[in-house]
Amino acid sequence: MRQLSDRIEYDLLLVGGSPSNLTLAYHFLELAKASGKEFTIAVLEKSKEFGAHIMSGAVSKPHIIEKVWPNYKEMGFPLDAVCTESNFSVLGLEKKWDMPPKLYPKSFDKTGYLVLSLSLVTSWMARQLEAKAKEVPNVSLDLFTGFAAHGVVFEDGRVAGVQVSEDPKSEDDYVYAKFTCFGDKGFISRDVIDHFKLRDCPQIWSVGVKEVWQCKESYEGKVWHTLGWPLLDGTFGGGFVYGMKDNKLTIGMVISLDSRDPNMNPQLKLQEYKKHPWIQSMITGGKLLKYGAALLPEGGYYSLPKKFSVPGAVLLGDALGVLDVKHLAGIDRAMECGYVAAEVLHDALIKGDLTEAALAPYQERLTNSFVVKEAYGNRYFRWAFIENPKLLGEYLPEVAHSVDKSSAFFGMWKVWFKHPLGAPIDGVRSLGLIEGKINIGPIKYEADYKHIIPAFVTPKYDEPHYDKATIYSRPDAVFYASTKYHEGNKHIDEFNATVCVDCIKRYEGISKTTPCVADCTAEVHRIDIIDDVRKHGMSLENCIHCRTCEVVCPEVNLRVKPTSQGSGPDFLGL
Ligand SMILES: Cc1cc2nc3c(=O)[nH]c(=O)nc-3n(C[C@H](O)[C@H](O)[C@H](O)COP(=O)(O)OP(=O)(O)OC[C@H]3O[C@@H](n4cnc5c(N)ncnc54)[C@H](O)[C@@H]3O)c2cc1C
Ligand code: SF4
Ligand code: SF4
C-alpha cells in the first residue's frame, strides 16, 4: 500500500469503501480491462479495514450481486443463510402474531433473499477488487484504509477532491481527482449537497441498533420483521430477527428519529425488545457476540437531491438517499448506483469529457431503473405515518394489546368500534398512500429534531419476565462494538457550549435529560458539573459513529466528523 504524499490527482477518487463504491470500482475494472485504457483510482476508507465501519441488517435480494459476480457462491461469498421462511409479526408484551401474508405489503416477503452480515460482504468485495486489479495492469488502484476524507475541496465551481487531514497544512493533505465518488453515508458529502443547494426537502433518518447472538439452537433461514412492542408510543419503526448459520441470530430495531420522545434511547429500546418472551426463548443461554448502530436515510423519493451528480462528483447509495423503507432495502440500491456510475464515469473519462453533462446519464439511468422507479412508487410510504399519527399512536397499540389478550382481529374490531367513521377513512387513505395509489403531489418533511415534544410522556407498561443475563446496559453494550481510538481524537464538534447549558437546564427542569445524552447509542454524551454549572461533556472513546446525536440535537449544535487513523468501532461480523 503506498503512502499519500505530494499533490496527487487520480482519475477517480472513491470516498468510502462502501458497497456502492466497491461495486463501482470492481465494474470499472471490468470496463477498463475491455477498453485497455489507462486509469488511476483511489479508494479512501476511514475504518482500519474494509467493512469495519459498516453496519446493516441484512436481508438482500441478490439481483445486483448476481449481476456483478454471477458465480459469487463459488467465490467464497460470506453467505449467512438464504431466507426460507419470512414473517411479518405484531408483538404484544407477551405474545406474537404472525400476520397472514395478504395483510401486509408484499415488499416484506423476503423468501429467497440472502441473509448477510454486510461488514463481511464488504470485506469480501474489497478482496475481489484487489484480485481483479491484478488482471487489469492498465489500471493503477490504490486502496487506503484508515484514511478518512475530512472535507470536500471545491475549485472553480466543481468538486476537485478531498482533504485527508483534519488540519491541512500543505498540498500533501489533499487528494485531487477528475471525478470524486461519494459513498460515505453523507459524512462529508452533505457539504456537496449544501454547496450546490441540491435538496429542498430535508433528509429524515432512522437509527438501526443491532446485536448478533450465538444461540443454543439454529434459526437459519428464518426472518421476522415486527411491529408493536416496544414501540407503542407512536414512533415509526420496528424490529428484525434474522436466523443465520452456525446458530447465530441477528436481533435489531430500526427506529425513526422523528420520534416525539426526547429521551427515546434506541439502545434501551433494543433491550426492551429482547425482553419479549419470543426473543427470550431464542437467546436465553446464548451469548452476545457483537453490538452496533448506524443511521438509515428514510426520506426516499422526495428527499433525493435534485441532481445525483455535480461537476466533478457523483453521489451514491445512502449518501444519495436511495434506500427504500417499504422494501427495507438499501444494499441492492447502493450497488446499482455503483454499477451505473462505473459505466458513466468510464465513458466520460474515455471521451476526456469532465463536464457536468458527461455525468447526466447517471441520474437518467438510475431514474429509469428499479432504484428510482420503486422509490417513486413508495414515495408516500413514510409520509402516511407522519400525516396520520393515530396509525402508530392509537391503532397499533390497540392491536398489539389485543395480541396478548385475545386476538389481533379483536384489536382491529376495537379500533373500528372506537372510531366507527374515522378508522375506515384513515384505513383507506393510509393504504392508498402506502401502496402509492393516491397522488398528493410533492411533500416536504420537517427535520427530525423538530418533531421532539420536550414534555412527551411515554406510556408505561409492566415488563414481561426476562433473563437478566440477556440484557445489556449501554456502557456494557459498547464493549461489544470494540471501539478503539487514537490519542487526541476529537471527532465530534460541539458548536456552542452555552447553548448546551441552556438545553440541559430546559430538559432537567422537566425531569428529563437532553436528547444527546438519552439517545446516544454508546454512552458518549454526559452532563458534567464544572464550577457548579451543569455542562455537556463527551466520552468520545465510546463513540460508534452512528450520528444519532447530531440528528436529534434540537439546537443543531453537533457535528460528528469522520475519524482519523482507523479509529472507531469494529463492526466486522455485524
Ligand atoms: C440496522 C440496519 C439494517 C439495515 N437492513 C438492511 C437490509 O436488511 N437490507 C438492505 O438492503 N439494507 C439494509 N440497510 C441499509 C443498508 O445497510 C445501506 O443502505 C447500505 O449499507 C448503503 O450502502 P452505501 O454504499 O451507501 O455505504 P455505507 O454502507 O453507508 O458505507 C459507507 C462507508 O463509507 C465509509 N466512510 C464514510 N465517510 C467516510 C469518509 N469521510 N472517508 C472515508 N470513508 C468514509 C464508512 O466507514 C463506510 O465504510 C440497513 C441499515 C441499517 C443501519
Ligand atoms: S448537544 Fe444538543 S442536545 Fe446535547 S446538550 Fe447540547 S444542545 Fe442539547
Ligand atoms: S456520540 Fe453520537 S455518533 Fe457517537 S455513538 Fe453517540 S449518538 Fe452515535
Side-chain angles (χ1 to χ4, degrees), residues 260-471:
R260 292 172 295 168
D261 185 358
N263 289 178
M264 189 260 289
N265 196 337
Q267 189 273 341
L268 185 65
K269 283 276 184 298
L270 178 60
Q271 304 314 303
E272 289 171 354
Y273 186 54
K274 284 162 50 194
K275 289 175 186 171
H276 192 280
W278 159 62
I279 298 189
Q280 283 287 304
S281 70
M282 294 188 278
I283 62 174
T284 302
K287 196 172 137 203
L288 175 62
L289 300 177
K290 295 292 283 186
Y291 164 72
L295 287 191
L296 300 87
E298 278 199 342
Y301 184 78
Y302 286 112
S303 293
L304 287 173
K306 281 179 259 185
K307 291 182 180 172
F308 296 4
S309 59
V310 295
V314 293
L315 299 158
L316 306 105
D318 282 4
L320 180 61
V322 287
L323 182 143
D324 188 294
V325 193
K326 190 172 159 201
H327 280 92
L328 299 170
I331 299 168
D332 57 343
R333 274 101 176 126
M335 290 181 68
E336 181 68 1
C337 287
Y339 193 87
V340 172
E343 296 185 355
V344 172
L345 292 164
H346 185 258
D347 273 4
L349 286 169
I350 287 225
K351 287 182 198 142
D353 184 351
L354 305 188
T355 64
E356 194 177 359
L359 299 183
Y362 176 58
Q363 182 158 0
E364 282 158 23
R365 286 186 50 189
L366 282 180
T367 303
N368 291 321
S369 74
F370 73 98
V371 175
V372 178
K373 279 190 178 157
E374 289 186 1
Y376 181 76
N378 300 333
R379 66 199 178 283
Y380 302 127
F381 176 75
R382 190 64 186 79
W383 182 257
F385 299 92
I386 296 175
E387 181 196 80
N388 189 348
K390 276 191 277 179
L391 298 182
L392 297 174
E394 289 183 38
Y395 302 167
L396 175 64
E398 193 74 77
V399 175
H401 293 313
S402 297
V403 167
D404 285 336
K405 287 187 195 130
S406 47
S407 94
F409 291 106
F410 182 62
M412 291 177 204
W413 179 83
K414 271 172 79 181
V415 167
W416 174 78
F417 188 74
K418 282 188 187 168
H419 310 271
L421 277 179
I425 293 171
D426 287 347
V428 170
R429 164 97 181 169
S430 304
L431 262 182
L433 291 173
I434 287 168
E435 294 299 340
K437 301 254 160 64
I438 301 177
N439 193 348
I440 56 168
I443 50 169
K444 192 166 177 180
Y445 300 112
E446 277 197 313
D448 292 297
Y449 69 89
K450 292 192 177 167
H451 292 261
I452 291 177
I453 299 175
F456 182 74
V457 181
T458 39
K460 292 268 174 282
Y461 300 104
D462 294 334
E463 284 184 337
H465 176 74
Y466 60 91
D467 174 3
K468 284 201 173 67
T470 59
I471 302 303

Side-chain angles (χ1 to χ4, degrees), residues 494 499-500 503-504 514-517 525 536 552-555 557-558:
E494 174 210 271
V499 166
C500 288
C503 177
I504 293 165
T514 58
C516 65
V517 171
H525 300 272
H536 170 234
V552 298
C553 171
E555 305 297 335
N557 201 24
L558 293 172

Side-chain angles (χ1 to χ4, degrees), residues 58-62 65 72-73 77 79 81-83 112-116:
V59 283
S60 187
K61 188 171 171 177
I65 292 171
Y72 67 99
K73 284 187 185 153
F77 181 85
L79 180 62
V82 175
C83 171
Y113 280 39
L114 309 183
V115 181
L116 305 170

Side-chain angles (χ1 to χ4, degrees), residues 44-298:
L44 301 184
E45 168 52 49
K46 66 179 166 63
S47 58
K48 64 181 166 47
E49 58 182 300
F50 286 101
H53 285 182
I54 300 260
M55 211 210 68
S56 189
V59 283
S60 187
K61 188 171 171 177
H63 57 155
I64 310 303
I65 292 171
E66 282 165 356
K67 182 162 80 171
V68 185
W69 295 282
N71 52 345
Y72 67 99
K73 284 187 185 153
E74 291 85 58
M75 294 169 76
F77 181 85
L79 180 62
D80 275 307
V82 175
C83 171
T84 48
E85 184 191 313
S86 179
N87 303 284
F88 192 79
S89 316
V90 178
L91 299 190
L93 271 70
E94 297 285 346
K95 293 185 185 159
K96 166 169 80 72
W97 174 56
D98 295 333
M99 277 192 185
K102 281 206 170 83
L103 287 188
Y104 61 86
K106 217 176 154 356
S107 58
F108 288 99
D109 181 359
K110 301 297 179 186
T111 313
Y113 280 39
L114 309 183
V115 181
L116 305 170
S117 157
L118 190 61
S119 57
L120 297 180
V121 170
T122 308
S123 163
W124 177 87
M125 283 174 152
R127 289 198 299 279
Q128 301 314 308
L129 185 62
E130 276 180 301
K132 188 77 181 174
K134 293 195 182 117
E135 296 170 19
V136 194
N138 48 316
V139 176
S140 149
L141 174 71
D142 289 334
L143 302 178
F144 298 107
T145 48
F147 255 104
H150 290 281
V152 182
V153 180
F154 299 99
E155 258 178 24
D156 304 325
R158 57 187 288 125
V159 172
V162 297
Q163 171 193 321
V164 289
S165 149
E166 286 170 272
D167 183 19
K169 292 191 176 70
S170 70
E171 277 300 339
D172 292 357
D173 296 326
Y174 298 92
V175 181
Y176 298 91
K178 292 184 177 123
F179 293 115
T180 307
C181 308
F182 292 99
D184 68 336
K185 214 187 267 290
F187 261 95
I188 64 165
S189 56
R190 58 183 133 169
D191 295 337
V192 175
I193 291 180
D194 289 348
H195 183 89
F196 289 96
K197 298 186 175 55
L198 298 183
R199 196 174 262 144
D200 292 332
C201 173
Q203 184 56 273
I204 54 171
W205 299 92
S206 61
V207 61
V209 273
K210 166 180 160 181
E211 294 178 358
V212 174
W213 278 73
Q214 182 77 55
C215 299
K216 290 195 147 170
E217 282 176 41
S218 173
Y219 301 94
E220 185 173 341
K222 293 187 179 171
V223 162
W224 289 270
H225 292 106
T226 68
L227 284 178
W229 174 257
L231 283 184
L232 296 172
D233 65 355
T235 301
F236 182 88
F240 59 91
V241 177
Y242 303 152
M244 300 182 284
K245 65 180 181 193
D246 303 328
N247 291 10
K248 287 194 190 143
L249 191 69
T250 283
I251 306 163
M253 296 203 72
V254 171
I255 308 175
S256 290
L257 295 177
D258 64 359
S259 172
R260 292 172 295 168
D261 185 358
N263 289 178
M264 189 260 289
N265 196 337
Q267 189 273 341
L268 185 65
K269 283 276 184 298
L270 178 60
Q271 304 314 303
E272 289 171 354
Y273 186 54
K274 284 162 50 194
K275 289 175 186 171
H276 192 280
W278 159 62
I279 298 189
Q280 283 287 304
S281 70
M282 294 188 278
I283 62 174
T284 302
K287 196 172 137 203
L288 175 62
L289 300 177
K290 295 292 283 186
Y291 164 72
L295 287 191
L296 300 87
E298 278 199 342

Side-chain angles (χ1 to χ4, degrees), residues 441-571:
I443 50 169
K444 192 166 177 180
Y445 300 112
E446 277 197 313
D448 292 297
Y449 69 89
K450 292 192 177 167
H451 292 261
I452 291 177
I453 299 175
F456 182 74
V457 181
T458 39
K460 292 268 174 282
Y461 300 104
D462 294 334
E463 284 184 337
H465 176 74
Y466 60 91
D467 174 3
K468 284 201 173 67
T470 59
I471 302 303
Y472 286 77
S473 70
R474 199 163 55 177
D476 287 347
V478 175
F479 174 77
Y480 293 87
S482 318
T483 55
K484 208 167 175 190
Y485 279 89
H486 65 280
E487 213 162 299
N489 160 61
K490 278 192 180 157
H491 74 282
I492 303 186
D493 282 343
E494 174 210 271
F495 300 127
N496 186 330
T498 315
V499 166
C500 288
V501 170
D502 292 344
C503 177
I504 293 165
K505 262 193 213 143
R506 202 165 54 251
Y507 278 96
E508 292 190 341
I510 52 169
S511 306
K512 305 231 168 181
T513 189
T514 58
C516 65
V517 171
D519 289 359
C520 175
T521 58
E523 203 70 12
V524 173
H525 300 272
R526 49 165 211 264
I527 312 285
D528 295 330
I529 304 172
I530 301 169
D531 299 332
D532 287 336
V533 180
R534 295 180 71 76
K535 294 186 175 174
H536 170 234
M538 291 185 274
S539 307
L540 289 176
E541 66 280 6
N542 286 342
C543 178
I544 58 174
H545 284 194
C546 67
R547 296 198 348 241
T548 299
C549 52
E550 189 186 289
V551 177
V552 298
C553 171
E555 305 297 335
V556 197
N557 201 24
L558 293 172
R559 175 152 179 161
V560 181
K561 301 179 296 183
T563 46
S564 301
Q565 300 180 33
S567 288
D570 181 352
F571 286 160

